[in-house]
Amino acid sequence: MLMVRHIENGTVIDHIDAGKGLEVLKVLGGAGDTTIVLAINVQSKKKGKKDILKLENKFLDKDKMDLIAIISPNTTINVIREGKVVEKINAEMPEEINGVLKCINPKCITNAPREPVTTSFTVKKNPVMLKCKYCSTEFPADMIQLL
Amino acid sequence: MWDRRHVISIDDFSREDIEDVLKNTAKMDEYLEKGNVPELMKGKILATLFFEPSTRTRLSFEAAMQRLGGTVIGFSDPSATSIKKKETTADTVRMAAAYADVIAMRHPYPGAAKLAAQVSSVPILNGGDGSNQHPTQTLLDLYTIKKELGTLDGIKIAMVGDLKYGRTVHSLCTALKLFDATFKFISPEQLRMPDTYKRGLTYEETTELDVSDADVVYVTRIQAERFPDPAEYEKLKGFYVINKKVVSTMKEKSIIMHPLPRVDEIHYEVDSDPRAKYFKQAYYGVPTRMALIAMVMGAI
Ligand SMILES: [Zn+2]
């Protein structure tokens, strides 16, 4: 196992599809001032190769876990407190996602300034596609943009 | 179930919903024919909010409301209203909902009708939101087929022209799927029906204009701006023209439809053929919208 910084408190996002680690980091809103370790193409018994992302002193809410599942299904999220894994969560793909993503259609009413509207997308599987509930535009997971 | 319902997208309609609308449209059609329309909307007001102009759709909604004994307020030129002063669509709709009992709206931005439904205290009838949805057009198309051919079940429909950008043909696919129709998509390579609308359909796809086996020939306009090269457009547009010769290959009991306005994709010589139904189709917009207004107002 690759030697990476051990964290006392925070989140380890494991079993990310190889090559998707950067995208996961992007939907988490980048590093900010969090200490982050990203390992790419790590050997894995389960899936050959995988990416791992460690976030020090940072814990994820449901919205963020939903986004991770959309980008890389079958990802495991480990919550670490005082050096121990206190919770292991299998990120599950949500059926819909509200309020965190932007519609890629620039003409969509959800992109119009000052309209009182929250974005809302239906998530379809195999392949993963998002469909805007307002303008009906469909787009693949790798095109998602944060609000 | 229909009372106070918004009509936003044909995707929200089940087969039963569509059959309900068609049944009531037939009733309205008959009232109009006999000249004895009941004043179901007497004392009621329809607001037509046209954030983008569309004379045909607006007049059709207004005629429908007036035939039912109701009155109409509204605007058809947003530049002359507060929209220009940057009032939001949501606020304009809320204001109209305070003045009227039902709203018909058209908007250049896709998704605007759904937003309107969320903020409106009265039913919204979507008269087209950008490239997205135009459910009353789809319902009048379905009524035309049902009335002229007697059924929607198992029909074979040939769609001709711009199938990539044509909102009307996309919605018609979605609706006719519920009736086990079979489809023939006839278009230039560049303007093929997108995969997302073909999912789950029985269809064939071709660039050849062969409509000899179709019960319905649904023609759409190919627009020059879809082609980067004007010469390419000039070459292609001639291929997808319905003239007398093409019509002579069609089945005797079949119909030609077009959402209008047409330019030269259907020759004027075809207008007198009994299979040409596009003007009747436009007329059916009135009984269809009468039925929808009366239904969402709980009057039938
Ligand atoms: Zn959208």
Side-chain angles (χ1 to χ4, degrees), chain B residues 118-138:
Chain B
Q118 285 166 353
V119 300
S120 173
S121 54
V122 304
I124 300 282
L125 302 170
N126 182 7
D129 57 336
S131 54
N132 190 29
Q133 297 287 337
H134 192 5
T136 63
Q137 174 74 46
T138 311

Side-chain angles (χ1 to χ4, degrees), chain A residues 103-105 108-111 121 132-137, chain B residues 110:
Chain A
C103 181
I104 62 158
N105 179 354
C108 179
I109 193 74
T110 61
N111 288 318
F121 302 89
C132 175
K133 288 195 193 170
Y134 287 85
C135 73
S136 318
T137 301

Side-chain angles (χ1 to χ4, degrees), chain B residues 230-246:
Chain B
E232 180 77 0
Y233 165 70
E234 284 303 322
K235 198 179 86 190
L236 277 171
K237 73 167 186 182
F239 278 126
Y240 301 96
V241 166
I242 308 294
N243 54 25
K244 253 197 159 134
K245 193 161 157 246
V246 173

Side-chain angles (χ1 to χ4, degrees), chain B residues 54-84:
Chain B
S54 170
T55 308
R56 181 188 327 277
T57 305
R58 185 174 55 87
L59 292 183
S60 172
F61 270 115
E62 294 186 357
M65 188 61 174
Q66 294 188 7
R67 291 282 188 201
L68 291 167
T71 51
V72 180
I73 58 172
F75 60 84
S76 56
D77 178 9
S79 64
T81 68
S82 55
I83 314 309
K84 210 181 169 185

Side-chain angles (χ1 to χ4, degrees), chain B:
Chain B
M1 183 179 113
W2 275 93
D3 193 8
R4 319 305 292 164
R5 180 170 170 174
H6 302 288
V7 177
I8 304 304
S9 166
I10 201 71
D11 300 353
D12 305 333
F13 280 66
S14 66
R15 183 183 162 123
E16 288 69 36
D17 291 337
I18 291 172
E19 282 169 343
D20 271 357
V21 175
L22 299 187
K23 210 171 61 203
N24 286 319
T25 302
K27 237 187 260 174
M28 296 297 167
D29 195 5
E30 200 186 317
Y31 291 147
L32 286 171
E33 206 177 318
K34 292 190 177 148
N36 63 349
V37 182
E39 293 200 312
L40 298 171
M41 286 298 109
K42 195 176 166 77
K44 302 288 182 194
I45 298 174
L46 167 75
T48 52
L49 310 184
F50 276 57
F51 296 85
E52 122 188 307
S54 170
T55 308
R56 181 188 327 277
T57 305
R58 185 174 55 87
L59 292 183
S60 172
F61 270 115
E62 294 186 357
M65 188 61 174
Q66 294 188 7
R67 291 282 188 201
L68 291 167
T71 51
V72 180
I73 58 172
F75 60 84
S76 56
D77 178 9
S79 64
T81 68
S82 55
I83 314 309
K84 210 181 169 185
K85 294 180 218 139
K86 298 255 187 329
E87 186 179 43
T88 60
T89 297
D91 282 1
T92 307
V93 169
R94 284 186 182 118
M95 173 217 41
Y99 300 157
D101 302 290
V102 54
I103 292 173
M105 72 177 263
R106 187 177 183 99
H107 200 287
Y109 292 168
K114 188 177 169 70
L115 166 65
Q118 285 166 353
V119 300
S120 173
S121 54
V122 304
I124 300 282
L125 302 170
N126 182 7
D129 57 336
S131 54
N132 190 29
Q133 297 287 337
H134 192 5
T136 63
Q137 174 74 46
T138 311
L139 290 163
L140 77 88
D141 287 347
L142 294 171
Y143 182 70
T144 305
I145 298 171
K146 170 97 185 178
K147 168 106 191 221
E148 299 298 331
L149 290 179
T151 184
L152 292 171
D153 282 291
I155 58 150
K156 177 156 193 173
I157 180 166
M159 296 180 169
V160 182
D162 178 358
L163 306 186
K164 184 172 181 186
Y165 299 101
R167 174 178 64 183
T168 51
V169 286
H170 299 163
S171 295
L172 204 49
C173 284
T174 305
L176 282 173
K177 188 156 97 177
L178 303 171
F179 295 87
D180 291 319
T182 52
F183 298 80
K184 186 169 192 175
F185 299 128
I186 302 172
S187 75
E189 215 47 75
Q190 302 92 319
L191 297 176
R192 281 165 60 163
M193 180 65 74
D195 288 342
T196 171
Y197 300 107
K198 289 190 290 208
R199 242 175 261 151
L201 299 185
T202 308
Y203 69 93
E204 55 188 302
E205 199 163 30
T206 171
T207 55
E208 301 292 317
L209 183 59
D210 172 7
V211 291
S212 58
D213 55 349
D215 301 307
V216 178
V217 178
Y218 199 102
V219 188
T220 62
R221 181 149 50 106
I222 294 180
Q223 287 167 297
E225 56 265 33
R226 305 295 183 204
F227 293 87
D229 177 5
E232 180 77 0
Y233 165 70
E234 284 303 322
K235 198 179 86 190
L236 277 171
K237 73 167 186 182
F239 278 126
Y240 301 96
V241 166
I242 308 294
N243 54 25
K244 253 197 159 134
K245 193 161 157 246
V246 173
V247 173
S248 73
T249 67
M250 285 176 58
K251 284 162 69 169
E252 189 139 343
K253 199 188 170 205
S254 62
I255 59 173
I256 307 165
M257 296 171 67
H258 190 298
L260 301 182
R262 58 124 172 231
V263 183
D264 38 21
E265 59 277 11
I266 300 178
H267 276 191
Y268 292 100
E269 64 192 25
V270 175
D271 295 358
S272 56
D273 192 283
R275 286 164 288 195
K277 297 294 182 196
Y278 26 94
F279 294 116
K280 272 201 135 172
Q281 179 188 356
Y283 163 76
Y284 292 142
V286 176
T288 304
R289 291 175 176 116
M290 287 166 74
L292 286 167
I293 291 170
M295 288 169 87
V296 301
M297 292 297 290
I300 46 172

